[in-house]
Amino acid sequence: MDAAVLTPVRNAPEAPSVTTEPITLRPRALSADLLVTLGFVGDLFMVILGLAFGYWVRFESGLIQRGNEPSAIELRDYLGLIGLGS
């Protein structure tokens, strides 16, 4: 065997002391997670709102007449596409 393996280590670092204080999360970390979550929910809300607005413009407002004559589509029928799009 190698002699270096059997020699004791001198000046080894001491093990960190164990504290009994409770672990608390920093408020900064919580606010960052909250902001990311709010951003995600806000983006999802805006996508759904935009798709619902597109439905209204196409089928309910009367602004688009060409190719939309037999539109018997209700919002209930369009919700699957809104869910897929968001």
Side-chain angles (χ1 to χ4, degrees), residues 3-60:
V5 175
L6 299 175
T7 58
V9 177
R10 295 190 177 130
N11 298 330
E14 295 182 18
S17 62
V18 178
T19 61
T20 58
E21 298 175 15
I23 298 173
T24 58
L25 296 176
R26 296 176 293 152
R28 183 176 177 192
L30 290 177
S31 65
D33 290 342
L34 180 63
L35 289 176
V36 168
T37 303
L38 287 176
F40 180 76
V41 170
D43 286 347
L44 181 64
F45 177 72
M46 292 306 291
V47 166
I48 291 172
L49 190 65
L51 290 170
F53 180 71
Y55 164 80
W56 178 80
V57 167
R58 182 172 180 195
F59 296 112
E60 300 293 331

CSV table of all heavy atoms in Angstrom, one decimal, residues 3-60:
chain,number,residue,atom,x,y,z
A,3,ALA,N,2.2,4.7,1.2
A,3,ALA,CA,2.5,5.3,2.6
A,3,ALA,C,1.6,6.6,2.8
A,3,ALA,O,1.3,6.9,3.9
A,3,ALA,CB,3.9,5.6,2.7
A,4,ALA,N,1.2,7.3,1.8
A,4,ALA,CA,0.5,8.5,1.9
A,4,ALA,C,-1.0,8.2,2.4
A,4,ALA,O,-1.6,9.0,3.0
A,4,ALA,CB,0.4,9.3,0.6
A,5,VAL,N,-1.4,7.0,2.1
A,5,VAL,CA,-2.8,6.6,2.5
A,5,VAL,C,-2.9,6.4,3.9
A,5,VAL,O,-3.8,6.7,4.6
A,5,VAL,CB,-3.2,5.4,1.7
A,5,VAL,CG1,-4.6,4.9,2.1
A,5,VAL,CG2,-3.3,5.7,0.2
A,6,LEU,N,-1.8,5.9,4.5
A,6,LEU,CA,-1.8,5.5,5.9
A,6,LEU,C,-1.4,6.6,6.8
A,6,LEU,O,-1.6,6.5,8.0
A,6,LEU,CB,-0.8,4.3,6.1
A,6,LEU,CG,-1.2,3.0,5.3
A,6,LEU,CD1,-0.1,2.0,5.5
A,6,LEU,CD2,-2.6,2.5,5.7
A,7,THR,N,-0.9,7.7,6.4
A,7,THR,CA,-0.5,8.8,7.2
A,7,THR,C,-1.7,9.6,7.6
A,7,THR,O,-2.5,9.9,6.8
A,7,THR,CB,0.6,9.7,6.6
A,7,THR,OG1,0.0,10.2,5.4
A,7,THR,CG2,1.9,8.9,6.3
A,8,PRO,N,-1.7,10.0,8.9
A,8,PRO,CA,-2.9,10.8,9.3
A,8,PRO,C,-2.8,12.2,8.8
A,8,PRO,O,-1.7,12.7,8.5
A,8,PRO,CB,-2.7,10.8,10.9
A,8,PRO,CG,-1.3,10.5,11.1
A,8,PRO,CD,-0.8,9.7,10.0
A,9,VAL,N,-3.9,12.8,8.6
A,9,VAL,CA,-4.0,14.2,8.1
A,9,VAL,C,-3.8,15.1,9.2
A,9,VAL,O,-4.5,15.0,10.2
A,9,VAL,CB,-5.4,14.4,7.4
A,9,VAL,CG1,-5.5,15.8,6.9
A,9,VAL,CG2,-5.6,13.4,6.3
A,10,ARG,N,-2.9,16.0,9.0
A,10,ARG,CA,-2.6,17.1,10.0
A,10,ARG,C,-3.4,18.3,9.6
A,10,ARG,O,-3.5,18.6,8.5
A,10,ARG,CB,-1.2,17.3,10.1
A,10,ARG,CG,-0.4,16.1,10.7
A,10,ARG,CD,1.0,16.4,11.0
A,10,ARG,NE,1.6,15.2,11.6
A,10,ARG,CZ,2.7,14.7,11.2
A,10,ARG,NH1,3.4,15.3,10.2
A,10,ARG,NH2,3.2,13.6,11.7
A,11,ASN,N,-3.8,19.1,10.6
A,11,ASN,CA,-4.4,20.3,10.4
A,11,ASN,C,-5.7,20.2,9.6
A,11,ASN,O,-6.0,21.0,8.7
A,11,ASN,CB,-3.5,21.4,9.8
A,11,ASN,CG,-2.3,21.7,10.6
A,11,ASN,OD1,-2.4,21.6,11.8
A,11,ASN,ND2,-1.2,22.0,10.0
A,12,ALA,N,-6.5,19.1,9.9
A,12,ALA,CA,-7.7,18.9,9.2
A,12,ALA,C,-8.7,20.0,9.7
A,12,ALA,O,-8.7,20.4,10.8
A,12,ALA,CB,-8.2,17.5,9.5
A,13,PRO,N,-9.6,20.4,8.8
A,13,PRO,CA,-10.6,21.4,9.2
A,13,PRO,C,-11.6,20.8,10.2
A,13,PRO,O,-11.9,19.6,10.1
A,13,PRO,CB,-11.3,21.8,7.9
A,13,PRO,CG,-11.1,20.6,7.0
A,13,PRO,CD,-9.7,20.0,7.4
A,14,GLU,N,-12.0,21.6,11.1
A,14,GLU,CA,-12.9,21.2,12.1
A,14,GLU,C,-14.3,21.1,11.5
A,14,GLU,O,-14.7,21.8,10.6
A,14,GLU,CB,-13.0,22.1,13.3
A,14,GLU,CG,-11.7,22.2,14.0
A,14,GLU,CD,-11.7,23.2,15.2
A,14,GLU,OE1,-12.9,23.5,15.6
A,14,GLU,OE2,-10.7,23.6,15.7
A,15,ALA,N,-15.1,20.1,12.0
A,15,ALA,CA,-16.5,20.0,11.6
A,15,ALA,C,-17.3,21.2,12.0
A,15,ALA,O,-17.1,21.7,13.1
A,15,ALA,CB,-17.1,18.7,12.2
A,16,PRO,N,-18.2,21.6,11.2
A,16,PRO,CA,-19.0,22.8,11.5
A,16,PRO,C,-19.9,22.4,12.7
A,16,PRO,O,-20.3,21.3,12.9
A,16,PRO,CB,-19.9,23.1,10.3
A,16,PRO,CG,-19.8,21.8,9.5
A,16,PRO,CD,-18.6,21.1,9.9
A,17,SER,N,-20.1,23.4,13.6
A,17,SER,CA,-20.9,23.2,14.8
A,17,SER,C,-22.4,23.1,14.4
A,17,SER,O,-22.8,23.8,13.5
A,17,SER,CB,-20.7,24.3,15.8
A,17,SER,OG,-21.1,25.6,15.2
A,18,VAL,N,-23.1,22.3,15.1
A,18,VAL,CA,-24.5,22.2,14.8
A,18,VAL,C,-25.3,23.1,15.7
A,18,VAL,O,-25.1,23.2,16.9
A,18,VAL,CB,-24.9,20.7,15.1
A,18,VAL,CG1,-26.4,20.5,14.9
A,18,VAL,CG2,-24.2,19.8,14.2
A,19,THR,N,-26.2,23.9,15.1
A,19,THR,CA,-27.0,24.8,15.9
A,19,THR,C,-28.4,24.3,16.1
A,19,THR,O,-28.9,23.5,15.3
A,19,THR,CB,-27.1,26.2,15.2
A,19,THR,OG1,-27.7,26.0,14.0
A,19,THR,CG2,-25.7,26.8,15.0
A,20,THR,N,-29.0,24.7,17.1
A,20,THR,CA,-30.4,24.2,17.4
A,20,THR,C,-31.4,25.3,17.1
A,20,THR,O,-32.5,25.2,17.4
A,20,THR,CB,-30.5,23.8,18.9
A,20,THR,OG1,-30.2,25.0,19.7
A,20,THR,CG2,-29.6,22.7,19.2
A,21,GLU,N,-30.9,26.4,16.4
A,21,GLU,CA,-31.9,27.4,16.0
A,21,GLU,C,-32.8,27.0,14.9
A,21,GLU,O,-32.3,26.2,14.0
A,21,GLU,CB,-31.1,28.7,15.6
A,21,GLU,CG,-30.2,29.3,16.6
A,21,GLU,CD,-29.3,30.4,16.1
A,21,GLU,OE1,-29.6,30.9,15.0
A,21,GLU,OE2,-28.4,30.8,16.8
A,22,PRO,N,-34.0,27.4,14.9
A,22,PRO,CA,-34.9,27.0,13.8
A,22,PRO,C,-34.5,27.6,12.5
A,22,PRO,O,-33.9,28.7,12.4
A,22,PRO,CB,-36.3,27.5,14.2
A,22,PRO,CG,-36.0,28.6,15.2
A,22,PRO,CD,-34.7,28.2,15.8
A,23,ILE,N,-34.7,26.9,11.4
A,23,ILE,CA,-34.3,27.3,10.1
A,23,ILE,C,-35.5,28.2,9.6
A,23,ILE,O,-36.7,27.8,9.6
A,23,ILE,CB,-34.1,26.2,9.1
A,23,ILE,CG1,-32.9,25.3,9.6
A,23,ILE,CG2,-33.9,26.6,7.7
A,23,ILE,CD1,-32.7,24.1,8.8
A,24,THR,N,-35.2,29.4,9.1
A,24,THR,CA,-36.2,30.3,8.6
A,24,THR,C,-35.8,30.6,7.2
A,24,THR,O,-34.7,30.8,6.8
A,24,THR,CB,-36.3,31.6,9.4
A,24,THR,OG1,-35.1,32.2,9.5
A,24,THR,CG2,-36.8,31.2,10.9
A,25,LEU,N,-36.9,30.8,6.4
A,25,LEU,CA,-36.6,31.2,5.0
A,25,LEU,C,-36.5,32.7,4.9
A,25,LEU,O,-37.2,33.5,5.7
A,25,LEU,CB,-37.8,30.8,4.1
A,25,LEU,CG,-38.0,29.3,4.0
A,25,LEU,CD1,-39.2,29.0,3.1
A,25,LEU,CD2,-36.7,28.6,3.3
A,26,ARG,N,-35.7,33.2,4.0
A,26,ARG,CA,-35.5,34.6,3.9
A,26,ARG,C,-36.7,35.2,3.2
A,26,ARG,O,-37.3,34.6,2.3
A,26,ARG,CB,-34.3,34.9,3.1
A,26,ARG,CG,-33.0,34.5,3.7
A,26,ARG,CD,-31.8,34.7,2.8
A,26,ARG,NE,-32.0,33.7,1.7
A,26,ARG,CZ,-31.5,34.0,0.5
A,26,ARG,NH1,-30.8,35.1,0.2
A,26,ARG,NH2,-31.6,33.1,-0.5
A,27,PRO,N,-37.2,36.3,3.6
A,27,PRO,CA,-38.3,37.0,2.9
A,27,PRO,C,-38.0,37.2,1.5
A,27,PRO,O,-38.9,37.2,0.6
A,27,PRO,CB,-38.5,38.3,3.7
A,27,PRO,CG,-37.9,38.1,5.0
A,27,PRO,CD,-36.8,37.1,4.8
A,28,ARG,N,-36.8,37.5,1.1
A,28,ARG,CA,-36.5,37.7,-0.3
A,28,ARG,C,-36.7,36.5,-1.2
A,28,ARG,O,-37.2,36.6,-2.3
A,28,ARG,CB,-35.0,38.1,-0.4
A,28,ARG,CG,-34.6,38.5,-1.7
A,28,ARG,CD,-33.1,38.9,-1.7
A,28,ARG,NE,-32.7,39.2,-3.1
A,28,ARG,CZ,-31.5,39.4,-3.4
A,28,ARG,NH1,-30.5,39.4,-2.5
A,28,ARG,NH2,-31.1,39.7,-4.7
A,29,ALA,N,-36.4,35.3,-0.7
A,29,ALA,CA,-36.6,34.1,-1.4
A,29,ALA,C,-38.1,33.9,-1.6
A,29,ALA,O,-38.6,33.5,-2.7
A,29,ALA,CB,-36.0,32.9,-0.8
A,30,LEU,N,-38.9,34.2,-0.6
A,30,LEU,CA,-40.4,34.0,-0.7
A,30,LEU,C,-40.9,35.0,-1.7
A,30,LEU,O,-41.8,34.6,-2.5
A,30,LEU,CB,-41.0,34.1,0.7
A,30,LEU,CG,-40.7,33.0,1.7
A,30,LEU,CD1,-41.4,33.3,3.0
A,30,LEU,CD2,-41.3,31.7,1.1
A,31,SER,N,-40.5,36.2,-1.7
A,31,SER,CA,-41.1,37.2,-2.6
A,31,SER,C,-40.7,36.9,-4.0
A,31,SER,O,-41.5,37.1,-4.9
A,31,SER,CB,-40.6,38.6,-2.2
A,31,SER,OG,-39.2,38.7,-2.4
A,32,ALA,N,-39.5,36.3,-4.3
A,32,ALA,CA,-39.1,35.9,-5.6
A,32,ALA,C,-40.0,34.8,-6.2
A,32,ALA,O,-40.5,34.9,-7.3
A,32,ALA,CB,-37.7,35.5,-5.7
A,33,ASP,N,-40.3,33.8,-5.3
A,33,ASP,CA,-41.2,32.7,-5.7
A,33,ASP,C,-42.6,33.2,-6.0
A,33,ASP,O,-43.2,32.8,-6.9
A,33,ASP,CB,-41.2,31.6,-4.7
A,33,ASP,CG,-39.9,30.9,-4.6
A,33,ASP,OD1,-39.1,30.9,-5.6
A,33,ASP,OD2,-39.6,30.2,-3.6
A,34,LEU,N,-43.0,34.1,-5.1
A,34,LEU,CA,-44.3,34.7,-5.3
A,34,LEU,C,-44.5,35.5,-6.6
A,34,LEU,O,-45.5,35.4,-7.3
A,34,LEU,CB,-44.7,35.6,-4.1
A,34,LEU,CG,-46.1,36.2,-4.1
A,34,LEU,CD1,-47.1,35.2,-4.0
A,34,LEU,CD2,-46.2,37.2,-2.9
A,35,LEU,N,-43.4,36.2,-6.9
A,35,LEU,CA,-43.5,37.0,-8.1
A,35,LEU,C,-43.5,36.1,-9.4
A,35,LEU,O,-44.2,36.4,-10.3
A,35,LEU,CB,-42.3,38.0,-8.2
A,35,LEU,CG,-42.4,39.2,-7.2
A,35,LEU,CD1,-41.1,40.0,-7.3
A,35,LEU,CD2,-43.6,40.0,-7.5
A,36,VAL,N,-42.7,35.0,-9.3
A,36,VAL,CA,-42.7,34.1,-10.5
A,36,VAL,C,-44.1,33.5,-10.6
A,36,VAL,O,-44.6,33.4,-11.7
A,36,VAL,CB,-41.6,33.1,-10.3
A,36,VAL,CG1,-41.8,31.9,-11.3
A,36,VAL,CG2,-40.2,33.7,-10.4
A,37,THR,N,-44.7,33.1,-9.5
A,37,THR,CA,-46.0,32.5,-9.6
A,37,THR,C,-47.1,33.5,-10.1
A,37,THR,O,-47.9,33.1,-10.9
A,37,THR,CB,-46.4,32.0,-8.2
A,37,THR,OG1,-45.4,31.0,-7.7
A,37,THR,CG2,-47.8,31.3,-8.2
A,38,LEU,N,-47.0,34.7,-9.6
A,38,LEU,CA,-47.9,35.7,-10.0
A,38,LEU,C,-47.7,36.0,-11.5
A,38,LEU,O,-48.7,36.2,-12.3
A,38,LEU,CB,-47.8,37.0,-9.2
A,38,LEU,CG,-48.4,36.9,-7.8
A,38,LEU,CD1,-48.1,38.2,-7.1
A,38,LEU,CD2,-49.8,36.7,-7.8
A,39,GLY,N,-46.5,36.0,-12.0
A,39,GLY,CA,-46.2,36.2,-13.4
A,39,GLY,C,-46.8,35.1,-14.3
A,39,GLY,O,-47.4,35.4,-15.3
A,40,PHE,N,-46.7,33.9,-13.8
A,40,PHE,CA,-47.2,32.8,-14.6
A,40,PHE,C,-48.7,32.8,-14.6
A,40,PHE,O,-49.3,32.6,-15.7
A,40,PHE,CB,-46.8,31.4,-13.9
A,40,PHE,CG,-47.3,30.2,-14.6
A,40,PHE,CD1,-46.7,29.8,-15.8
A,40,PHE,CD2,-48.3,29.5,-14.1
A,40,PHE,CE1,-47.2,28.7,-16.5
A,40,PHE,CE2,-48.8,28.4,-14.7
A,40,PHE,CZ,-48.2,28.0,-15.9
A,41,VAL,N,-49.4,33.1,-13.5
A,41,VAL,CA,-50.8,33.1,-13.4
A,41,VAL,C,-51.3,34.3,-14.3
A,41,VAL,O,-52.3,34.2,-15.0
A,41,VAL,CB,-51.3,33.2,-12.0
A,41,VAL,CG1,-52.8,33.5,-11.9
A,41,VAL,CG2,-51.0,31.9,-11.2
A,42,GLY,N,-50.6,35.4,-14.2
A,42,GLY,CA,-51.0,36.6,-15.0
A,42,GLY,C,-50.9,36.3,-16.5
A,42,GLY,O,-51.8,36.7,-17.3
A,43,ASP,N,-49.8,35.7,-16.9
A,43,ASP,CA,-49.7,35.3,-18.3
A,43,ASP,C,-50.8,34.4,-18.8
A,43,ASP,O,-51.4,34.5,-19.9
A,43,ASP,CB,-48.3,34.7,-18.6
A,43,ASP,CG,-47.2,35.6,-18.5
A,43,ASP,OD1,-47.4,36.9,-18.5
A,43,ASP,OD2,-46.0,35.2,-18.5
A,44,LEU,N,-51.1,33.4,-18.0
A,44,LEU,CA,-52.2,32.4,-18.3
A,44,LEU,C,-53.5,33.2,-18.4
A,44,LEU,O,-54.3,32.9,-19.4
A,44,LEU,CB,-52.3,31.3,-17.3
A,44,LEU,CG,-53.3,30.3,-17.5
A,44,LEU,CD1,-53.0,29.5,-18.8
A,44,LEU,CD2,-53.4,29.3,-16.3
A,45,PHE,N,-53.8,34.1,-17.5
A,45,PHE,CA,-55.0,34.8,-17.5
A,45,PHE,C,-55.1,35.7,-18.8
A,45,PHE,O,-56.2,35.7,-19.5
A,45,PHE,CB,-55.1,35.7,-16.3
A,45,PHE,CG,-56.3,36.6,-16.3
A,45,PHE,CD1,-57.6,36.1,-16.1
A,45,PHE,CD2,-56.2,38.0,-16.5
A,45,PHE,CE1,-58.7,36.9,-16.1
A,45,PHE,CE2,-57.3,38.8,-16.5
A,45,PHE,CZ,-58.6,38.3,-16.3
A,46,MET,N,-54.0,36.3,-19.2
A,46,MET,CA,-54.0,37.2,-20.4
A,46,MET,C,-54.2,36.3,-21.7
A,46,MET,O,-54.9,36.8,-22.6
A,46,MET,CB,-52.7,38.0,-20.5
A,46,MET,CG,-52.7,39.1,-19.4
A,46,MET,SD,-54.1,40.1,-19.3
A,46,MET,CE,-53.9,41.1,-20.8
A,47,VAL,N,-53.6,35.1,-21.7
A,47,VAL,CA,-53.8,34.3,-22.9
A,47,VAL,C,-55.2,33.9,-23.0
A,47,VAL,O,-55.8,33.9,-24.1
A,47,VAL,CB,-52.9,33.1,-22.8
A,47,VAL,CG1,-53.3,32.0,-23.8
A,47,VAL,CG2,-51.4,33.5,-23.0
A,48,ILE,N,-55.8,33.5,-21.9
A,48,ILE,CA,-57.3,33.1,-21.9
A,48,ILE,C,-58.1,34.2,-22.3
A,48,ILE,O,-59.1,34.1,-23.1
A,48,ILE,CB,-57.7,32.4,-20.6
A,48,ILE,CG1,-57.0,31.1,-20.4
A,48,ILE,CG2,-59.2,32.3,-20.5
A,48,ILE,CD1,-57.2,30.5,-19.0
A,49,LEU,N,-57.8,35.4,-21.8
A,49,LEU,CA,-58.6,36.6,-22.1
A,49,LEU,C,-58.5,37.0,-23.6
A,49,LEU,O,-59.5,37.3,-24.2
A,49,LEU,CB,-58.2,37.8,-21.2
A,49,LEU,CG,-59.0,39.0,-21.2
A,49,LEU,CD1,-60.4,38.7,-20.7
A,49,LEU,CD2,-58.3,40.1,-20.4
A,50,GLY,N,-57.3,36.9,-24.1
A,50,GLY,CA,-57.1,37.2,-25.5
A,50,GLY,C,-57.8,36.2,-26.4
A,50,GLY,O,-58.4,36.6,-27.5
A,51,LEU,N,-57.8,34.9,-26.1
A,51,LEU,CA,-58.5,33.9,-26.9
A,51,LEU,C,-60.1,34.1,-26.8
A,51,LEU,O,-60.8,34.0,-27.8
A,51,LEU,CB,-58.2,32.5,-26.5
A,51,LEU,CG,-56.7,32.1,-26.8
A,51,LEU,CD1,-56.4,30.8,-26.2
A,51,LEU,CD2,-56.5,32.0,-28.3
A,52,ALA,N,-60.5,34.5,-25.6
A,52,ALA,CA,-62.0,34.8,-25.5
A,52,ALA,C,-62.3,36.0,-26.3
A,52,ALA,O,-63.4,36.1,-26.9
A,52,ALA,CB,-62.3,35.0,-24.0
A,53,PHE,N,-61.5,37.0,-26.3
A,53,PHE,CA,-61.7,38.2,-27.1
A,53,PHE,C,-61.7,37.9,-28.6
A,53,PHE,O,-62.5,38.4,-29.3
A,53,PHE,CB,-60.6,39.3,-26.8
A,53,PHE,CG,-60.8,40.5,-27.6
A,53,PHE,CD1,-61.9,41.4,-27.3
A,53,PHE,CD2,-59.9,40.9,-28.6
A,53,PHE,CE1,-62.0,42.6,-28.0
A,53,PHE,CE2,-60.1,42.0,-29.3
A,53,PHE,CZ,-61.2,42.9,-29.0
A,54,GLY,N,-60.8,37.0,-29.0
A,54,GLY,CA,-60.8,36.6,-30.4
A,54,GLY,C,-62.1,35.9,-30.8
A,54,GLY,O,-62.6,36.0,-31.9
A,55,TYR,N,-62.7,35.1,-29.9
A,55,TYR,CA,-64.0,34.4,-30.1
A,55,TYR,C,-65.0,35.5,-30.3
A,55,TYR,O,-65.9,35.4,-31.2
A,55,TYR,CB,-64.3,33.5,-29.0
A,55,TYR,CG,-65.8,33.1,-29.0
A,55,TYR,CD1,-66.2,32.1,-29.8
A,55,TYR,CD2,-66.7,33.8,-28.2
A,55,TYR,CE1,-67.6,31.8,-29.8
A,55,TYR,CE2,-68.0,33.4,-28.2
A,55,TYR,CZ,-68.5,32.4,-29.0
A,55,TYR,OH,-69.8,32.1,-29.1
A,56,TRP,N,-65.0,36.5,-29.4
A,56,TRP,CA,-66.1,37.5,-29.5
A,56,TRP,C,-66.0,38.3,-30.8
A,56,TRP,O,-67.0,38.5,-31.4
A,56,TRP,CB,-65.9,38.4,-28.3
A,56,TRP,CG,-67.0,39.5,-28.3
A,56,TRP,CD1,-68.3,39.5,-27.9
A,56,TRP,CD2,-66.7,40.9,-28.8
A,56,TRP,NE1,-68.9,40.7,-28.2
A,56,TRP,CE2,-68.0,41.5,-28.7
A,56,TRP,CE3,-65.7,41.5,-29.4
A,56,TRP,CZ2,-68.1,42.9,-29.1
A,56,TRP,CZ3,-65.8,42.9,-29.7
A,56,TRP,CH2,-67.0,43.5,-29.6
A,57,VAL,N,-64.8,38.6,-31.2
A,57,VAL,CA,-64.6,39.4,-32.4
A,57,VAL,C,-65.1,38.6,-33.6
A,57,VAL,O,-65.7,39.1,-34.5
A,57,VAL,CB,-63.1,39.8,-32.6
A,57,VAL,CG1,-62.9,40.3,-34.0
A,57,VAL,CG2,-62.8,40.9,-31.6
A,58,ARG,N,-64.7,37.3,-33.6
A,58,ARG,CA,-65.1,36.5,-34.8
A,58,ARG,C,-66.5,36.1,-34.9
A,58,ARG,O,-67.1,36.1,-36.0
A,58,ARG,CB,-64.2,35.2,-34.8
A,58,ARG,CG,-64.5,34.3,-35.9
A,58,ARG,CD,-63.5,33.2,-36.0
A,58,ARG,NE,-63.8,32.4,-37.2
A,58,ARG,CZ,-63.3,31.2,-37.3
A,58,ARG,NH1,-62.5,30.6,-36.5
A,58,ARG,NH2,-63.6,30.5,-38.4
A,59,PHE,N,-67.1,35.7,-33.8
A,59,PHE,CA,-68.5,35.1,-33.8
A,59,PHE,C,-69.6,36.0,-33.3
A,59,PHE,O,-70.7,35.9,-33.7
A,59,PHE,CB,-68.5,33.8,-33.1
A,59,PHE,CG,-67.6,32.8,-33.7
A,59,PHE,CD1,-66.5,32.3,-33.0
A,59,PHE,CD2,-67.9,32.2,-34.9
A,59,PHE,CE1,-65.7,31.4,-33.5
A,59,PHE,CE2,-67.1,31.3,-35.4
A,59,PHE,CZ,-66.0,30.8,-34.8
A,60,GLU,N,-69.3,36.9,-32.4
A,60,GLU,CA,-70.4,37.7,-31.7
A,60,GLU,C,-70.5,39.2,-32.1
A,60,GLU,O,-71.5,39.7,-32.1
A,60,GLU,CB,-70.2,37.6,-30.2
A,60,GLU,CG,-70.2,36.2,-29.6
A,60,GLU,CD,-71.5,35.6,-29.7
A,60,GLU,OE1,-72.6,36.3,-29.7
A,60,GLU,OE2,-71.6,34.4,-29.7
